[in-house]
Amino acid sequence: MIKGFKAPGRINIIGEHTDYNDGYVLPAAIDKYVSLSIERTEGDTIHLNSVGKEALSFSETRIERSGNWGDYVKGIFWVLKRERDMFFGGMKIQITSTVPEGAGLSSSAALEVATITALNSFCNLGLTESQRYLMAQKAENEFVGVNCGIMDQFASVMGKKNHAVFLDTATMEYEYLPLELGEYSMVIFDSKVHHALSSGGYNARREEAANALKLLGKRSYRDVSMPDLFVNREKLGDLYYRRAMHVVSENMRVLEAKRILSNSNFENLGRLLIQSHESLAHDYEVSCEEVDFLVDVLRELNGVSGARIIGGGFGGSVLALCESSETDNVREEVTRRYEQKFGIILDSYTVNPSDGAGEDLLLEID
Ligand code: GLA
């Protein structure tokens, strides 16, 4: 029998670019998954097959970055060898995925988490949930070379069906919040643009936020209040002021969203999404023309309570909160106007909050 494992992508309701700034985030795992199964083979070569991609293989005695999709899998082997001194032996790894790539839905974290979850079981590693998401983040930071925060790997491991997870990244304390959407749906609009700037731009924003913090003379954004920003406006200069303003105001919005969610008031939640988008576009500057256009169109349409860019930015997707009865009309209208403006046919779909990584029953083969 081959046992399969799957790990979900994620959306983030609110709390963008706060996870590496000691802030709050409110993600949810979604019903789009990377599925993975492992079979033992002779020798010490690890073979990777992913549907629709070129097959790869590597030796566990020499794990090196190759700048392609396999790095997310290799990174997990690399971390486990370093931290657990593992010898894995030959393996054949089969992967399929329904998480769109470059869409801001964390397909890379889902692949890392699916890999570590499968290896945890296959090699009886006994890793806890937190060990799994922390190691997956290390693979991304230290092997792949993207200086991401913890949100994506955390959400992919810890997600819970029909819930969002409120996480305080400063303490790693978390709380599940029921996400009972009632007559609303969460709809993703994938702009299909992915600006080359993304990982460079991401790392640059991280640095700018850290520099602003230094200028404020604080050790953590948790110690920075709105009045601190006003008082230090001149010292910060325009750019650092706006970067810090995003972090501080976005944290306030996450706390507000948490309160709003407990009353399932999706009209008010929508308004917060719009404010978050404005802040990401103008203060943190991680949006782009195509995504701004999508948000502008969505804001005008009947049945949409709010929308914003999600994920690292510089392209990717918009999350919209939409009355379910209007979803088809909204998708049609946005698709039409986006194609008219940019000549790009976007993808759109509804997503549902789902459980985190685990066994994938569909892959169990006798
Ligand atoms: C990417 C990173 C996350 C987070 C978001 C922005 O998805 O992987 O850690 O920083 O961007 O909120």
Side-chain angles (χ1 to χ4, degrees):
M1 184 183 82
I2 305 174
K3 214 191 253 177
F5 292 85
K6 65 176 182 179
R10 61 106 191 87
I11 50 153
N12 184 18
I13 294 169
I14 202 158
E16 216 68 87
H17 289 273
T18 46
D19 63 347
Y20 54 84
N21 285 316
D22 279 345
Y24 306 115
V25 290
L26 191 48
I30 54 171
D31 48 351
K32 302 235 171 252
Y33 303 92
V34 171
S35 301
L36 192 149
S37 64
I38 305 179
E39 264 178 282
R40 174 65 61 210
T41 57
E42 298 292 309
D44 71 353
T45 301
I46 293 153
H47 302 272
L48 307 181
N49 288 297
S50 179
V51 175
K53 292 196 164 30
E54 67 170 320
L56 304 168
S57 58
F58 64 99
S59 160
E60 68 171 304
T61 54
R62 225 182 118 183
I63 307 182
E64 283 166 358
R65 248 180 63 174
S66 18
N68 56 31
W69 68 271
D71 287 352
Y72 301 107
V73 178
K74 284 184 187 172
I76 296 295
F77 278 85
W78 180 82
V79 169
L80 284 171
K81 279 192 94 68
R82 191 184 64 182
E83 303 206 352
R84 292 270 167 144
D85 204 18
M86 294 281 305
F87 177 77
F88 292 98
M91 293 178 180
K92 193 168 119 194
I93 298 185
Q94 187 67 44
I95 301 161
T96 58
S97 175
T98 55
V99 188
E101 288 172 24
L105 300 177
S106 294
S107 60
S108 46
L111 180 51
E112 290 154 0
V113 170
T115 307
I116 201 162
T117 303
L119 285 173
N120 190 32
S121 164
F122 194 75
C123 306
N124 285 315
L125 299 178
L127 299 172
T128 61
E129 289 169 329
S130 63
Q131 285 172 324
R132 280 190 283 138
Y133 60 68
L134 289 171
M135 284 182 179
Q137 184 197 22
K138 266 189 202 161
E140 178 110 18
N141 290 167
E142 295 172 33
F143 188 80
V144 179
V146 178
N147 218 0
C148 66
I150 192 61
M151 172 171 70
D152 304 350
Q153 291 79 8
F154 175 88
S156 187
V157 172
M158 302 301 292
K160 186 169 167 181
K161 197 172 178 177
N162 297 330
H163 289 74
V165 205
F166 170 80
L167 170 68
D168 177 345
T169 63
T171 60
M172 291 309 285
E173 276 167 26
Y174 61 93
E175 194 183 325
Y176 289 111
L177 307 178
L179 198 52
E180 276 137 20
L181 290 161
E183 70 256 32
Y184 280 86
S185 297
M186 297 191 297
V187 189
I188 293 293
F189 292 87
D190 179 352
S191 71
K192 297 281 183 141
V193 298
H194 193 214
H195 290 280
L197 199 67
S198 54
S199 67
Y202 182 90
N203 289 345
R205 290 298 174 277
R206 209 179 156 147
E207 227 179 286
E208 289 160 3
N211 289 342
L213 187 63
K214 250 188 237 150
L215 285 172
L216 286 160
K218 303 279 188 183
R219 289 186 51 197
S220 164
Y221 270 102
R222 291 302 270 281
D223 306 326
V224 183
S225 65
M226 238 5 141
D228 289 332
L229 294 184
F230 301 146
V231 170
N232 288 290
R233 187 166 189 160
E234 225 163 277
K235 188 171 168 193
L236 285 167
D238 177 59
L239 186 125
Y240 288 143
Y241 176 77
R242 284 186 291 119
R243 300 300 189 254
M245 175 57 85
H246 169 72
V247 177
V248 174
S249 63
E250 184 77 350
N251 275 328
M252 291 165 65
R253 284 186 286 272
V254 182
L255 294 177
E256 179 65 16
K258 185 174 180 247
R259 268 191 295 275
I260 288 175
L261 266 188
S262 59
N263 317 319
S264 296
N265 186 335
F266 294 108
E267 268 311 307
N268 284 348
L269 186 60
R271 271 194 274 279
L272 275 184
L273 297 198
I274 297 282
Q275 286 167 18
S276 170
H277 183 80
E278 295 285 315
S279 177
L280 287 159
H282 303 299
D283 285 345
Y284 220 65
E285 293 182 284
V286 287
S287 188
C288 61
E289 191 194 350
E290 296 88 341
V291 168
D292 286 343
F293 178 82
L294 287 176
V295 172
D296 285 346
V297 171
L298 281 159
R299 283 174 79 159
E300 280 174 25
L301 296 177
N302 255 347
V304 178
S305 74
R308 70 174 195 85
I309 188 171
I310 57 166
F314 307 101
S317 298
V318 166
L319 166 69
L321 266 182
C322 200
E323 283 170 32
S324 305
S325 56
E326 293 295 328
T327 300
D328 288 346
N329 296 340
V330 168
R331 287 175 54 189
E332 223 169 273
E333 181 64 11
V334 175
T335 306
R336 191 182 63 74
R337 285 173 57 180
Y338 191 67
E339 187 186 359
Q340 202 174 50
K341 171 92 179 166
F342 296 107
I344 304 172
I345 303 192
L346 56 67
D347 257 354
S348 63
Y349 36 83
T350 300
V351 289
N352 298 295
S354 300
D355 282 327
E359 286 186 17
D360 185 358
L361 298 178
L362 293 176
L363 268 181
E364 247 178 64
I365 303 162
D366 278 316

